[in-house]
Amino acid sequence: MAAPTVPPDGVYVPAPTFFKDRPEPPALQPAVDVDTQVAHSVHLARSGVTGLVLLGSTGEAVHMSAPERYDLVAGVRKGLDAAGFPGYPIMAGVLVNSIDETLDWLRESHKAGAQWGLVLAPGYFGAAASQENIVEWYTVVADQSPIPILIYNYPGVTNNLVVSIESYEKLAAHPNIVGCKMSHGNVSHHIQVSLHPKINHSQFRVFSGFGQQLGPIVVFDAGGVIDGLAAIFPRTVSRLFSLASRRPLDEATLQEVRRLQWKVSAAEEFIVKNGVLGIREAIYRVLGFGHLAGGRLPLRGAMSAGAYEQWGEVFGQMLEEEKKQ
């Protein structure tokens, strides 16, 4: 039996889910806008982004039904195929704590066309879940999953649960666990796992959820980033990755990495401050996809008046970079 496929290194976009601007009665919430989702996905693929993460935290999968999740992934897969991107990498988020329900999500995502599952650590009870039980939870899931999975550690939505280095070491040995996404600021954890001498790094890749860390972690053998800013400025973030991953890393290349990393890090502060609402609004204002009516409760609505305009200088610099790439 062939080993599970490891996701290629690079920049992945945790795509926000696009919703219609208003509910159609008797529906209580706006419907998923698959056409806009496809259009944005194709734009990203054409702009050099390595792959997509659908149904993640930014994608508000917790606000969607099972049929909606399936239709979104299937629709994007069909749209990418039709646009000339067959087999384009798609990770599907899994944001539930029940093992049975986690496997339901993975099976449906597999049928819809996703190649990997990005599985959130089960942190409803936070630190009360021991590292031993976290390892066993992921092992049971990986044993049964029809697609390879990545560990998704996002303490901000899992009651500050942090997967330990020792747990990563154990889980990286599982043949159906092919990587992780660390959505926290502990760069030491990124580097320790990326360089751990007991981990087979050709079969387990580390991705950060923060573009601010792209250059530093990729220099030390991380796989790349799953980064919200790339939903808005895909060419620039992808260019930064391609330079940081170049070997040997000569001084001229390193200088350009430093220049681009400074601009990306400055723009990433917008994502940190404004989250999903900010990403959706910036995509609309910069790329023209979506609208300003917002999405589903409780994240419906636009940013506060004048909030976007405060980033005019920073985003102006990013737009200039996009034109160069």
Side-chain angles (χ1 to χ4, degrees), residues 32-262:
V32 177
D33 187 347
V34 177
D35 290 343
T36 299
Q37 197 80 47
V38 169
H40 182 238
S41 298
V42 170
H43 170 77
L44 296 175
R46 288 174 174 161
S47 300
V49 167
T50 306
L52 302 173
V53 174
L54 304 175
L55 306 178
S57 302
T58 303
E60 298 182 69
V62 293
H63 299 157
M64 299 165 64
S65 68
E68 287 175 329
R69 294 193 301 268
Y70 178 88
D71 289 345
L72 179 71
V73 176
V76 170
R77 170 59 69 203
K78 182 179 179 181
L80 287 166
D81 289 350
F85 295 96
Y88 189 77
I90 295 177
M91 298 182 193
V94 180
L95 310 182
V96 289
N97 284 210
S98 160
I99 285 177
D100 290 325
E101 194 172 0
T102 294
L103 289 168
D104 286 342
W105 282 44
L106 287 165
R107 294 182 189 111
E108 288 301 298
S109 293
H110 174 52
K111 286 194 294 184
Q115 296 105 314
W116 301 274
L118 183 64
V119 181
L120 186 67
Y124 184 90
F125 290 102
S130 69
Q131 291 295 315
E132 292 79 6
N133 284 346
I134 294 296
V135 169
E136 185 173 359
W137 188 94
Y138 271 111
T139 300
V140 173
V141 170
D143 284 346
Q144 301 297 322
S145 176
I147 50 177
I149 67 170
L150 292 87
I151 300 159
Y152 180 18
N153 189 192
Y154 184 4
V157 297
T158 55
N159 291 305
N160 296 313
L161 176 68
V162 176
V163 178
S164 71
I165 303 299
E166 293 76 15
S167 295
Y168 282 119
E169 178 194 342
K170 294 173 184 175
L171 291 169
H174 194 291
N176 209 30
I177 300 178
V178 295
C180 65
K181 176 189 179 185
M182 299 185 191
S183 289
H184 56 66
N186 191 333
V187 176
S188 178
H189 274 214
H190 290 75
I191 293 173
Q192 286 188 67
V193 178
S194 294
L195 300 177
H196 201 294
K198 294 184 179 179
I199 292 176
N200 180 351
H201 300 291
S202 68
Q203 297 299 313
F204 186 90
R205 305 302 291 148
V206 175
F207 296 88
S208 175
F210 298 154
Q212 300 94 317
Q213 300 168 346
L214 192 162
I217 66 169
V218 168
V219 167
F220 289 101
D221 200 35
V225 291
I226 299 171
D227 173 56
L229 187 69
I232 311 159
F233 302 110
R235 292 183 176 88
T236 302
V237 180
S238 296
R239 174 65 173 165
L240 174 57
F241 170 81
S242 69
L243 292 173
S245 60
R246 187 177 294 177
R247 301 292 182 271
L249 190 57
D250 59 81
E251 184 59 30
T253 302
L254 187 56
Q255 282 290 93
E256 181 65 2
V257 168
R258 290 168 179 154
R259 187 186 73 82
L260 284 177
Q261 183 66 72
W262 184 86

Side-chain angles (χ1 to χ4, degrees), residues 9-32:
D9 288 1
V11 174
Y12 292 75
V13 170
T17 296
F18 293 92
F19 298 101
K20 302 288 187 178
D21 60 349
R22 61 179 61 86
E24 292 289 339
L28 301 177
Q29 292 271 55
V32 177

